[in-house]
């Protein structure tokens, strides 16, 4: 059995679910507090061996502390990603209690694993329908040919991965990416997907048609998939938006712009290492 405590938001949850079920199909898997995932995506690999537990925040904190202690005592085994230079692998270590493992600090964000993602993964139809209706109601008077989603992640990115080199992108980077898209596309509409809509409403993006989403994360994910192209922050949520967009368009030529070095753009080193893809343009 593999125990998967919640560690991250929707984008990370999709990665963890997909890879645990793909890499360990014969194991029972217990996912703790993955409610965002279950409300966003129709999950493949649903078997009798998949279990879901929802707890309060206080109970979740206590469970985490218990898992840490049991792992330190080597009573529970672990499943953990290891990086050694250019080498990436998943290491499974047994504990004294047989056949029980905890997924620890692992997000499966490496190009070699991402290439194996099941192509049958779909978003829930009700989220797609809601997103389509929202677009229809909010673009009725806007003339455009193509939609470009622009994901702006702020909140936790002000201090992640650390305060000295945060993953947050400045406004100038977004303006530059939008200008590049505007030069390649004819009359695009830039759909702003952000965890800080007040910021997006207060800043100036330049001479571009702008529409700001004020929807939930599930609907925002659907909106990104319904777009034609995308500008990504260094966020797995944005990455999945681009992945669903490519899948919907059957991998036809689509433009995606992301920050060079991903979350390590301020240090000029890839964070995480190996999380870069041929179908994106990095600037």
């Amino acid at each position: 059995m593999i125990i998967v405590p919640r560690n991250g938001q929707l984008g990370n949850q999709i990665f963890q679910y997909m890879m645990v079920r793909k890499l360990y199909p014969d194991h029972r898997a217990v996912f703790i507090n993955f409610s965002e995932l279950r409300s966003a995506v129709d999950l493949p690999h649903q078997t009798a061996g998949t279990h879901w537990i929802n707890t309060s925040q206080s109970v979740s904190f206590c469970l985490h502390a218990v898992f840490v202690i049991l792992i330190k005592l080597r009573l529970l085994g672990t499943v953990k990603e290891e990086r050694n230079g250019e080498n990436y692998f998943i290491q499974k270590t047994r504990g004294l209690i047989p056949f029980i493992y905890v997924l620890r600090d692992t997000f499966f964000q490496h190009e070699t694993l991402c290439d194996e993602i099941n192509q049958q993964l779909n978003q829930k139809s009700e989220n797609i329908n809601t997103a389509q209706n929202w677009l229809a109601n909010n673009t009725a008077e806007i003339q455009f040919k193509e939609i470009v989603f622009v994901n702006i992640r702020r909140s936790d990115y002000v201090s992640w991965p650390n305060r000295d080199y945060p993953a947050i992108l400045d406004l100038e980077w977004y303006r530059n990416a939008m200008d590049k898209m505007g030069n390649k596309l004819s009359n695009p509409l830039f759909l702003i997907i952000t965890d800080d809509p007040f910021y997006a409403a207060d800043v100036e993006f330049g001479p571009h048609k702008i529409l700001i989403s004020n929807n939930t994360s599930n609907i925002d994910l659907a909106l990104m998939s319904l777009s034609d192209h995308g500008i990504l922050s260094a966020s797995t949520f944005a990455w999945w938006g681009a992945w669903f967009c490519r899948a919907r368009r059957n991998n036809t030529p689509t433009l995606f712009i992301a920050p060079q070095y991903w979350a390590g753009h301020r240090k000029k080193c890839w964070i995480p290492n190996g999380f870069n893809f041929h179908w994106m343009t990095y600037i």
Side-chain angles (χ1 to χ4, degrees), residues 54-279:
N54 290 321
T55 70
S56 65
Q57 186 173 357
S58 58
V59 171
S60 178
F61 179 82
C62 291
L63 284 174
H64 176 78
V66 170
F67 291 146
V68 169
I69 292 171
L70 293 178
I71 289 169
K72 286 184 177 180
L73 294 174
R74 298 187 178 180
L75 293 175
L76 294 183
T78 59
V79 173
K80 189 174 182 180
E81 59 188 355
E82 299 288 346
R83 298 173 186 268
N84 182 11
E86 296 298 319
N87 298 320
Y88 176 90
F89 57 95
I90 304 297
Q91 181 171 315
K92 188 177 173 188
T93 305
R94 292 189 61 176
L96 295 175
I97 301 175
F99 312 121
I100 300 181
Y101 305 85
V102 177
L103 185 74
R104 196 162 188 218
D105 300 325
T106 295
F107 303 97
F108 304 104
Q109 292 165 22
H110 193 274
E111 58 182 340
T112 57
L113 291 180
C114 293
D115 289 341
E116 300 178 7
I117 293 173
N118 190 318
Q119 296 296 315
Q120 299 305 312
L121 181 64
N122 295 306
Q123 296 178 76
K124 287 189 175 295
S125 58
E126 57 265 34
N127 294 338
I128 294 293
N129 292 337
T130 299
Q132 289 174 328
N133 291 334
W134 186 87
L135 278 174
N137 292 333
N138 287 275
T139 61
E141 299 180 0
I142 303 176
Q143 299 298 316
F144 64 93
K145 290 186 178 180
E146 295 178 284
I147 295 178
V148 180
F149 76 76
V150 182
N151 178 249
I152 301 177
R153 178 79 169 260
R154 290 178 58 79
S155 62
D156 56 329
Y157 273 34
V158 173
S159 58
W160 181 87
N162 59 65
R163 291 188 178 276
D164 292 329
Y165 299 100
I168 194 169
L169 292 158
D170 60 32
L171 179 60
E172 200 56 42
W173 185 90
Y174 285 106
R175 286 175 175 165
N176 182 34
M178 293 166 74
D179 288 343
K180 288 182 180 298
M181 282 288 190
N183 291 334
K184 292 177 179 293
L185 305 175
S186 175
N187 197 23
L189 171 66
F190 291 94
L191 174 60
I192 309 297
I193 306 291
T194 179
D195 55 3
D196 191 348
F198 296 105
Y199 167 83
D202 287 342
V203 299
E204 177 58 56
F205 289 103
H208 303 292
K209 293 187 178 74
I210 299 294
L211 178 62
I212 301 173
S213 171
N214 57 354
N215 292 282
T216 64
S217 59
N218 292 344
I219 306 307
D220 279 344
L221 184 65
L223 287 170
M224 287 190 284
S225 74
L226 293 171
S227 301
D228 300 293
H229 311 279
I231 296 172
L232 290 73
S233 66
S235 164
T236 54
F237 178 65
W239 189 93
W240 278 107
W243 188 92
F244 281 116
C245 178
R246 290 182 77 231
R248 181 183 63 83
R249 293 168 60 90
N250 294 317
N251 296 333
T252 55
T254 306
L255 301 174
F256 294 106
I257 294 177
Q260 181 79 348
Y261 306 110
W262 200 243
H265 57 86
R266 293 178 186 270
K267 293 182 69 173
K268 292 183 169 48
C269 66
W270 284 99
I271 300 178
N273 187 30
F275 194 65
N276 54 307
F277 305 88
H278 70 275
W279 45 273

